[in-house]
């Protein structure tokens, strides 16, 4: 076309004498140009609708054509655009989805063993594996948080729990020791052998600690194993207390024992299970012989200065959540996330400032934010990380 200005493409009812091109239920009319030119104009319009960053590369391509062949050849080796060009360009006014962008591989001069994934979760918490669970409802409780911390990440105990339940979840993570069974199934001395048989079928194992009230944390009375109950009749009337191995005949270990020492006792004394008790005789953990071969070291584990696994917890922005924050800090939580869909609110600003003033060493994460202005407001309030 000889026109310096681009052709104008409009959509309207089309006169019979005007060149036209059918596009679905509409007719695109290009006034004053030949049908071939109109076709090219439609193609141009289709290209211009693309939000791909490739669109911005056309001026660069034209510039390369005016340079000498060697320079153009060198420029051809640089594919795509940098993140700075795409997201921070003053000319960029487009939003991108996952499908709009592709990460291009580059040259590497290192091996897999040289790669480190270390990253900061907050100002003071470093992760060997940068994976953090969402604070959303029911996503993470203590089992998930323990697994994530052992593998170098950190879990966030959600806030859709009662205060007591959330504190218990945090405490379970902080008390966890690799290789120790912290929640063994306990029975009472009055449990019958018939009831014990049913429990064995449900649980899949045969040995149980016997405590005063059948709960973990109460006084240990004895231990019952399969060999204690074999070949016994009258199973519906015989109680566990009458045939169990009583506390005086058991080998037990103090709650301060390390896992390696506990395993050594099991090997040397050929034990099936080793109860771990307090000085008052209360059961706090159990070490099983069958778990020794399953135990693994976790060199990437996320731990605090005392060697306990680290865990975060979520709260809301209500006044009642300040009591929740106090209780979580008392339970040993390492970080608190303010769970809100809109992070830049007066309510979140207030609770962030309050937590940083009340607990200066507590790591506080604010959010959600999507703009620089939102982020700046929360940073000004003192957050240690953003989401």
């Amino acid at each position: 076309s000889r026109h310096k200005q681009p052709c104008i493409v409009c959509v309207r009812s089309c006169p019979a004498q005007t060149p036209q091109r059918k596009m679905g239920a509409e007719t695109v009319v290009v006034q004053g140009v030949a049908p071939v030119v109109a076709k090219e104009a439609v193609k141009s319009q289709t290209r211009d609708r693309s939000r791909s960053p490739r669109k911005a590369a056309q001026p660069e391509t034209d510039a390369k054509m005016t340079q000498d062949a060697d320079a153009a050849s060198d420029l051809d080796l640089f594919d795509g655009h940098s993140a700075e060009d795409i997201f921070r360009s003053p000319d960029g006014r487009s939003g991108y989805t996952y499908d709009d962008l592709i990460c291009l591989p580059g040259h590497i001069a290192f091996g897999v063993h040289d790669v480190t994934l270390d990253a900061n979760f907050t100002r003071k918490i470093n992760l060997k594996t940068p994976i953090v669970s969402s604070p959303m409802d029911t996503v993470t409780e203590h089992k998930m948080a323990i697994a994530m911390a052992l593998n170098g990440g950190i879990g966030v105990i959600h806030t859709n729990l009662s205060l007591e339940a959330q504190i218990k979840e945090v405490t379970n993570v902080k008390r966890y020791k690799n290789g120790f069974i912290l929640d063994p199934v306990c029975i009472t001395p009055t449990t019958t052998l018939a009831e014990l048989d049913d429990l064995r079928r449900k649980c899949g194992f045969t040995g149980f600690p016997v405590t005063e009230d059948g709960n973990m944390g109460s006084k240990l009375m004895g231990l019952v194993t399969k060999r204690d109950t074999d070949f016994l009749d009258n199973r519906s009337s015989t109680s566990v207390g009458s045939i169990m191995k009583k506390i005086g005949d058991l080998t037990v270990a103090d709650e301060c024992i390390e896992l390696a020492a506990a395993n050594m006792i099991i090997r040397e004394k050929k034990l099936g299970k080793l109860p771990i008790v307090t000085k008052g005789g209360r059961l706090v953990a159990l070490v099983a012989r069958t778990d020794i071969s399953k135990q693994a070291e976790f060199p990437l584990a996320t731990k605090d200065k005392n060697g306990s696994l680290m865990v975060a917890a979520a709260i809301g922005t209500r006044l009642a959540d300040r009591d929740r924050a106090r209780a979580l800090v008392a339970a040993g939580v390492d970080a608190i996330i303010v769970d809100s869909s809109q992070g830049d609110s007066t309510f979140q600003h207030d609770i962030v400032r309050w937590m940083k003033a009340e607990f200066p060493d507590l790591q506080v994460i604010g959010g959600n934010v999507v703009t620089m202005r939102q982020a700046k407001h929360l940073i000004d309030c003192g957050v240690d990380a953003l989401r």
Side-chain angles (χ1 to χ4, degrees):
S1 173
R2 294 191 303 272
H3 298 285
K4 293 183 180 180
Q5 298 297 326
C7 298
I8 299 174
V9 181
C10 58
V11 179
R12 67 179 186 185
S13 301
C14 85
Q17 72 273 17
T18 309
Q20 56 186 322
R21 174 181 175 82
K22 288 286 185 181
M23 296 183 66
E26 299 174 336
T27 301
V28 177
V29 181
V30 183
Q31 294 187 334
V33 293
V36 174
V37 177
K39 182 178 180 181
E40 292 302 318
V42 171
K43 287 183 178 179
S44 175
Q45 183 195 39
T46 303
R47 284 195 300 268
D48 288 343
R49 285 174 180 167
S50 172
R51 293 183 294 142
S52 169
R54 283 286 186 186
K55 180 175 65 175
Q58 188 61 41
E60 296 175 13
T61 304
D62 294 339
K64 283 192 285 186
M65 295 176 63
T66 65
Q67 299 172 2
D68 58 78
D70 291 339
S73 177
D74 290 340
L75 286 173
D76 283 337
L77 297 178
F78 293 95
D79 298 324
H81 304 272
S82 68
E84 183 77 14
D85 292 340
I86 295 173
F87 296 112
R88 298 296 294 275
S89 171
D91 299 325
R93 295 293 183 271
S94 295
Y96 297 108
T97 67
Y98 294 111
D99 292 338
D100 291 328
L101 303 173
I102 297 176
C103 293
L104 300 178
H107 174 71
I108 62 171
F110 53 86
V112 174
H113 60 280
D114 296 317
V115 176
T116 175
L117 298 178
D118 286 25
N120 279 351
F121 171 50
T122 66
R123 297 182 200 270
K124 296 181 180 180
I125 299 178
N126 180 267
L127 302 179
K128 299 294 185 182
T129 306
I131 299 178
V132 181
S133 67
S134 168
M136 290 171 59
D137 180 19
T138 72
V139 170
T140 304
E141 294 178 1
H142 75 272
K143 291 183 179 179
M144 171 72 85
I146 289 170
M148 294 189 69
L150 285 175
N151 289 283
I154 193 167
V156 183
I157 306 297
H158 66 88
T159 190
N160 289 72
L161 295 163
S162 68
L163 174 57
E164 294 75 17
Q166 191 179 29
I167 297 305
K168 184 177 179 181
E169 296 296 323
V170 170
T171 302
N172 285 341
V173 180
K174 298 305 291 184
R175 289 178 49 208
Y176 176 83
K177 291 184 179 180
N178 179 32
F180 289 89
I181 304 171
L182 298 179
D183 55 351
V185 179
C186 302
I187 59 176
T188 66
T190 58
T191 302
T192 65
L193 295 189
E195 292 170 334
L196 180 61
D197 291 337
D198 290 339
L199 190 59
R200 284 171 171 168
R201 282 191 289 269
K202 291 177 183 177
C203 297
F205 46 85
T206 58
F208 296 86
V210 183
T211 61
E212 199 169 36
D213 60 3
N215 293 319
M216 177 66 175
S218 63
K219 190 170 183 178
L220 180 66
M221 306 298 292
L223 192 69
V224 62
T225 63
K226 189 174 186 299
R227 70 179 66 180
D228 298 320
T229 61
D230 283 344
F231 314 117
L232 293 178
D233 298 325
N234 302 321
R235 303 185 78 83
S236 59
S237 60
T238 304
S239 67
V240 166
S242 64
I243 54 92
M244 70 181 181
K245 193 172 186 178
K246 294 181 171 52
I247 184 67
D249 300 322
L250 288 177
T251 299
V252 298
D254 186 76
E255 61 180 331
C256 298
I257 193 171
E258 294 293 332
L259 180 63
N263 288 340
M264 185 64 69
I265 293 174
I266 288 176
R267 290 191 184 97
E268 290 178 350
K269 299 199 174 185
K270 297 180 174 60
L271 303 176
K273 291 178 174 58
L274 178 65
I276 311 298
V277 298
T278 66
K279 292 180 179 179
R282 295 183 178 276
L283 181 68
V284 294
L286 194 69
V287 180
R289 184 182 188 87
T290 54
D291 289 338
I292 293 178
S293 59
K294 301 176 185 177
Q295 291 163 6
E297 295 297 323
F298 294 92
L300 303 180
T302 308
K303 296 183 178 181
D304 61 21
K305 61 183 180 181
N306 298 318
S308 299
L309 295 181
M310 301 188 84
V311 62
I315 66 171
T317 59
R318 299 178 297 273
L319 288 176
D321 285 296
R322 300 192 179 193
D323 293 332
R324 187 179 289 261
R326 290 189 185 96
L328 288 168
V329 172
V333 77
D334 299 286
I336 287 181
I337 289 182
V338 184
D339 186 16
S340 175
S341 58
Q342 161 59 298
D344 192 10
S345 69
T346 301
F347 310 106
Q348 183 158 160
H349 293 182
D350 290 344
I351 199 165
V352 167
R353 290 193 189 99
W354 174 83
M355 283 192 289
K356 293 307 294 183
E358 193 83 2
F359 312 107
D361 294 330
L362 175 67
Q363 298 294 281
V364 177
I365 299 94
N368 290 348
V369 297
V370 296
T371 69
M372 288 189 289
R373 184 181 296 276
Q374 286 180 307
K376 183 180 185 305
H377 288 169
L378 285 178
I379 291 171
D380 291 342
C381 292
V383 294
D384 300 288
L386 293 167
R387 72 181 189 97

